[in-house]
């Protein structure tokens, strides 16, 4: 009986994985996505402005949901990747860099722009914003080059 349950769970996991792989994901322009942006199958993140000042990288992001269930976002969905591939989480101790709460984004609505700030080891190009939204069991990262 336990073997049957384990087999059934494995088959369900494989079906979910196959379905996730077939969902459209893109960092290219789409109806809801103009560069620089990422589209996670109708959950769209767009970078509105990027500033690099004195070791601080500040970007504004706007998020929208089109044709899918309600999503949510928070600053910890983002990581800055510098030229040496070091990953940096957001910081909130600089002026204009508040921590915003986990926010629901219903289908057909948008949120932001919201500020994101990082203090990477290097601000030399390339700098990539890695958007890592919670898409369920098989989430992925969406890289967006900032400079």
């Amino acid at each position: 009986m336990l073997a049957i349950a384990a087999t059934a769970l494995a088959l369900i996991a494989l079906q979910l994985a196959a379905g996730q792989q077939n969902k459209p994901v893109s960092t290219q322009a789409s109806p809801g996505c103009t560069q620089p942006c990422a589209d996670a199958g109708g959950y769209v993140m767009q970078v509105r402005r990027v500033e690099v000042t004195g070791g601080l990288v500040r970007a504004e992001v706007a998020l929208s949901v089109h044709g899918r269930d309600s999503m949510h976002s928070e600053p910890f969905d983002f990581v800055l990747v510098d030229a040496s591939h070091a990953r940096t989480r957001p910081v909130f101790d600089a002026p204009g860099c508040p921590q915003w709460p986990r926010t629901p984004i219903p289908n057909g609505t948008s949120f932001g722009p919201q500020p994101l700030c990082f203090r990477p080891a290097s601000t030399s190009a390339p700098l990539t914003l890695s958007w890592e939204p919670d898409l369920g069991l098989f989430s992925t990262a969406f890289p967006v080059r900032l400079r």
Side-chain angles (χ1 to χ4, degrees), residues 16-96:
L16 287 172
Q20 183 68 26
Q21 290 170 353
N22 292 330
K23 287 188 178 180
V25 293
S26 173
T27 55
Q28 305 301 315
S30 74
C33 187
T34 57
Q35 298 296 339
C37 69
D39 184 348
Y43 183 25
V44 177
M45 183 277 300
Q46 177 154 5
V47 179
R48 300 285 173 113
R49 186 170 65 178
V50 178
E51 300 170 352
V52 179
T53 308
L56 183 73
V57 176
R58 184 179 190 278
E60 290 183 351
V61 296
L63 300 124
S64 59
V65 179
H66 309 281
R68 67 177 300 151
D69 293 338
S70 175
M71 301 301 294
H72 62 269
S73 186
E74 60 186 314
F76 300 108
D77 290 344
F78 299 88
V79 174
L80 187 72
V81 182
D82 68 18
S84 66
H85 304 286
R87 297 170 52 86
T88 305
R89 291 281 175 194
V91 298
F92 310 105
D93 59 350

Side-chain angles (χ1 to χ4, degrees), residues 77-145:
D77 290 344
F78 299 88
V79 174
L80 187 72
V81 182
D82 68 18
S84 66
H85 304 286
R87 297 170 52 86
T88 305
R89 291 281 175 194
V91 298
F92 310 105
D93 59 350
C97 300
Q99 182 173 352
W100 32 280
R102 178 180 163 120
T103 304
I105 309 167
N107 183 27
T109 67
S110 60
F111 173 67
Q114 292 294 317
L116 286 170
C117 299
F118 303 89
R119 280 200 184 87
S122 169
T123 58
S124 299
L127 288 175
T128 302
L129 184 63
S130 180
W131 180 41
E132 302 171 359
D134 179 8
L135 299 175
L137 188 58
F138 299 100
S139 291
T140 189
F142 298 87
V144 175
R145 186 153 177 183

